[in-house]
Amino acid sequence: MNWFVEEISRLIAQLRRWQTWLVIGLISVFVGLAFFVGSFAFRTDGLLLFLHRTAGACRELTNGIIIFMFCGMIFFMFTALLTLGEFQRYFQFKQRAAHYQASRALYWGIGWGCAAVGIAVAALVFFTRYCR
């Protein structure tokens, strides 16, 4: 039973760190953006429209647009993971007092994060203009 108390105390100690809350916030932002893009994407699904399970009034997507959106989704996932990885590298370099490498990892993390948000926002803008 002692191990359980130790694990809970480690969890509480981890939740007191600002780095933990930054990563939780980043994951929440990426999940929120993916949810909104996914909800718009389901409005354009032909089968759901045929079964009257969705209330969207969207034009039918062509094969090129579907492939483009699928690739965009893959790139969004990759850039989101790269963002989290770069921030992990930043925290490790900061802990080891490697300031140059830490600043480079922070710049790359911010860049990949902006790319991920840009991809998701572009998909949201596309779907809002594509659907009535």
Side-chain angles (χ1 to χ4, degrees):
M1 192 62 155
N2 236 0
W3 62 271
F4 187 71
V5 174
E6 289 176 9
E7 290 295 324
I8 296 297
S9 65
R10 286 185 195 145
L11 174 70
I12 292 171
Q14 191 68 24
L15 287 175
R16 289 184 182 146
R17 299 178 65 195
W18 65 271
Q19 294 95 339
T20 304
W21 289 105
L22 177 70
V23 171
I24 290 172
L26 281 172
I27 291 171
S28 299
V29 166
F30 293 145
V31 166
L33 286 171
F35 173 77
F36 287 126
V37 171
S39 66
F40 273 112
F42 283 130
R43 291 183 193 171
T44 64
D45 186 38
L47 184 61
L48 291 176
L49 286 172
F50 178 73
L51 295 174
H52 304 293
R53 299 284 186 225
T54 183
C58 299
R59 295 175 286 187
E60 193 171 331
L61 297 174
T62 63
N63 286 338
I65 293 174
I66 291 171
I67 291 170
F68 183 74
M69 293 303 292
F70 183 74
C71 291
M73 175 193 66
I74 291 172
F75 288 129
F76 171 74
M77 290 186 335
F78 284 154
T79 55
L81 287 174
L82 278 168
T83 302
L84 294 173
E86 288 296 328
F87 276 107
Q88 178 65 32
R89 286 184 62 222
Y90 168 73
F91 297 142
Q92 286 179 351
F93 286 138
K94 204 65 163 154
Q95 204 172 33
R96 295 178 184 159
H99 300 294
Y100 178 75
Q101 290 89 350
S103 66
R104 301 306 313 163
L106 181 63
Y107 292 144
W108 278 105
I110 291 171
W112 286 119
C114 290
V117 170
I119 291 170
V121 168
L124 285 173
V125 168
F126 170 76
F127 279 125
T128 55
R129 292 190 182 227
Y130 204 74
C131 299
R132 295 181 216 139

